[in-house]
Amino acid sequence: MTTVETSAKTGTVSDRGIEVFIPLNKLKKSPRNARKTPHSGAIIEAYAASIAAKGILQNLVVEPECDGEGVETGFYFVSIGEGRRLAQLLRAKRKQIKKTEPIRCIVDTVNDAHEISLDENITREDMHPADQFEAFRELHEERGWGAEEIAARFGITAHVVRQRLRLGAVSPKLIQVYRDGDLTLDQLMAFAITDDHARQEQVFDNLTYNRDPYIIRRELTRTHVAASDRRAIFVGAEAYMGAGGAILRDLFTEDRGGFYEDAALLDRLVIEKLQGISEAVRQAEGWKWADVHIDYPHANGLRRTYPQPVDLSEEDKAAYATASDEFNRLTQEWDSAEELPDDVDQRFGKLEAEIERIDTLRHAYDPDIVSRGGVFVVLAHDGSARIERGFIRAEDELPEPEAVTLQGGEDYAVNDDGEIIEAGTGSDCDGGNEEEAEDDGKPLSDILIRDLTAHRTLGLRLALGEQPNIALVAVTHTLAAQTFYQGAEAPCLEIRPTSVYLAGHADGIEDTAAGKALADRHAEWAADMPRDVADLWDFIASLDHASIMALFAHCASLTVNAVKQPWERKPLANQTADRLATAVSLDMTAHWRPTVRTYLGRVTKAHILDAVRDAASNEAVDRLSDLKKQPMAEAAEQLLAGTGWLPAVLRTEQSPVFAKWHDEEGEDAKSAAVAELEPEPAQPDMADAVLTDSSALAEQGEPFNVAAE
């Protein structure tokens, strides 16, 4: 190879042509280049970074530009290396090099420019991704380069480098399986969620036919805690990492904050934080004890008490009246305003807070209960502390009055102070003869008492059946006594309400908004209950009809059991549950929505697509049909949000009969609805009106919430 000197350039003669250095501004894009699609901005950036770090590793191949008469113009067309030319132009634009920067080129006037351009892009084989991952890892480990430095030298982002480094750190055994084609890139990325090679290989060996990436991730993180878990939310990433915990991040999917690796440490931190809260509550409120649990201890076996109504102090009454008056005045003044000024909005907030504060003072625990009772502080579903008060341990219960027998065999009840408070029926203390004892009031025989009370029971049944209002009080008393008083034997009606434990069938159900609403309603009634069950009858009898009905409905509601067990065969009970849902116009869209956790992640892809088809469109189904299970479920959750879609088992049928129970006509409508249940036909005009309303609803396109309005 010899060096050639010309006025335009200096170069050497080779078998292919002349190797020369040509100024950058003398190079042009070849019109004969086979690549017509422009280079992407990302690849030009990558070329520029690579050239800046390592120079041009592969010469450009050029041919002289000639004018119409075949005379060279001094410019050259780039047949091979257009991307590198553009990268150098980008560097010149950024003032990193001059526009006249000499570029090493091969002048080829022998081969066809279009053919060699095509050959350059076809006769090549990309590096296997596994080789790339391992090569990046070697740069990191052997040269000590971080992700940012590697990214700068190859013109890619640091995040991409971290991803490749993570893939390169997967078990060599699994990397080889990937090379052999028995693992996809998506599956390899799933294994990269952890750097524990033994765990990766264990999960791989245990995989069945289902090798979806989300299955692999789920198995690898089975012992970890997601950042969205209530424990992680409660403790927080900063406190967890400050205690020495590590958070595992998935670089290939949206991990929503990662996974907490040390579940035991996280649980300990939760307990410690709950203990701090519980101790503060105990000292501030004066409870005897405070216990903490991550999950609510449903089977605690303790009697629970509730706060009782108390009178407000004169000061609080005055403050409440003042706040209420100002709140009402502002409401009237700004009632027609579309938007409130900031100062008025803030004033509303302060007044609401003051009214709420005083309202909480209307109920309080008896100081005796506080001195003997305690609180549970548990972790709520949303990652906050939940405080449940008023529990009495068995050893802290007040002793029952003891029955003692004095001289003569007479029974007396004695209170805690040793005072006789009630005398029983016993034999004559004078020890006279049998005849005198009978005359003096010997107790009736058990057999006779049984006989007489049987007749009394018959009379009560006959009379109670003729007085519905008293029957309502009696049934409500029976339900309330067993609902709010543990072990109470006060009722004389043998009605035994049972309430199935729903948390045993659906995890976390009691921490939902609906579960909290039911618990709050129960607590409100419990706060109104008299302390002694013996006073319950008088309490219920003193209520107005609407309040009795409300208490009756609450107690009855706790006995509902519409759970379908796979081993149970209760077709009639299930049918009744459906009719009850219709009668109460149950709208499950207010209590449940389809998410990956509640539904979409627990059904087949076909079920997911059916739901999207129902709620969205066939076009949406077409967009999702090629996705894997987990991405499909996540996308479907977004599509179904706000549509009111429900699975068939949660939908409510509409009934014209029960629709009338909710009509504005009140009792007259109820009477008409009851009449429809009789053999005689209902009034045609009312029935037709309801059916017309039903048809109108159907035409308005509301197929999911079909409960009676």
Side-chain angles (χ1 to χ4, degrees), residues 163-361:
Q163 288 181 324
R164 294 175 183 175
L165 290 174
R166 180 69 66 83
L167 288 167
V170 173
S171 164
K173 173 184 174 181
L174 300 187
I175 289 286
Q176 189 57 49
V177 174
Y178 170 56
R179 278 197 178 96
D180 296 340
D182 293 329
L183 273 181
T184 67
L185 179 58
D186 285 342
Q187 291 167 338
L188 188 71
M189 289 191 297
F191 279 108
I193 195 172
T194 177
D195 55 5
D196 186 341
H197 290 179
R199 180 64 179 151
Q200 292 171 347
E201 295 172 8
Q202 178 189 27
V203 169
F204 174 76
D205 292 338
N206 292 334
L207 286 177
T208 58
Y209 66 92
N210 189 349
R211 294 188 173 189
D212 284 348
Y214 88 92
I215 294 290
I216 297 172
R217 288 189 178 91
R218 185 188 67 188
E219 293 302 313
L220 287 171
T221 59
R222 185 176 292 277
T223 59
H224 297 59
V225 179
S228 57
D229 186 273
R230 57 190 175 130
R231 292 171 291 173
I233 295 173
F234 182 63
V235 171
E238 184 176 350
Y240 169 77
M241 297 179 70
I247 297 179
L248 187 66
R249 299 305 305 265
D250 190 344
L251 297 180
F252 303 97
T253 63
E254 174 56 49
D255 62 8
R256 296 179 177 86
F259 300 87
Y260 289 52
E261 291 185 315
D262 196 336
L265 172 63
L266 186 61
D267 285 347
R268 179 172 64 81
L269 295 175
V270 169
I271 293 296
E272 290 176 355
K273 189 172 181 179
L274 288 175
Q275 286 175 336
I277 295 173
S278 70
E279 185 60 22
V281 170
R282 189 189 67 80
Q283 292 184 3
E285 300 181 12
W287 295 97
K288 180 178 181 180
W289 55 268
D291 202 2
V292 301
H293 298 270
I294 293 180
D295 297 312
Y296 183 81
H298 291 282
N300 56 71
L302 304 182
R303 180 172 69 89
R304 184 172 189 179
T305 62
Y306 291 89
Q308 298 296 312
V310 295
D311 293 330
L312 294 177
S313 66
E314 294 301 325
E315 181 181 353
D316 289 330
K317 288 180 180 178
Y320 186 85
T322 300
S324 298
D325 290 344
E326 185 175 357
F327 184 89
N328 293 334
R329 180 184 61 78
L330 287 176
T331 300
Q332 292 179 353
E333 181 179 347
W334 295 94
D335 184 52
S336 59
E338 294 184 0
E339 186 175 352
L340 295 176
D342 289 341
D343 58 334
V344 176
D345 189 48
Q346 292 175 3
R347 185 55 184 162
F348 265 115
K350 292 180 180 179
L351 291 173
E352 289 173 350
E354 176 67 3
I355 292 172
E356 184 177 350
R357 181 191 69 81
I358 299 175
D359 276 335
T360 60
L361 301 177

Side-chain angles (χ1 to χ4, degrees), residues 446-458:
D446 292 340
I447 294 177
L448 180 55
I449 291 176
R450 183 185 66 185
D451 183 280
L452 296 175
T453 53
H455 284 278
R456 184 170 185 263
T457 299
L458 178 60

Side-chain angles (χ1 to χ4, degrees), residues 414-436:
V414 180
N415 65 14
D416 294 339
D417 299 325
E419 298 174 344
I420 298 174
I421 59 176
E422 183 180 359
T425 57
S427 61
D428 185 11
C429 63
D430 293 335
N433 60 43
E434 188 173 337
E435 245 181 65
E436 292 174 346

Side-chain angles (χ1 to χ4, degrees), residues 16 26 81 124 155 253 287 351 362 367 417 441 447 483 505 508-509 527 538 567 606 658 666 683:
R16 292 182 54 208
K26 295 294 183 180
R124 58 184 298 180
T253 63
W287 295 97
L351 291 173
R362 298 182 185 276
D417 299 325
I447 294 177
T483 299
H505 299 296
I509 189 173
D538 292 338
W567 46 267
F658 285 106
Q683 292 295 327

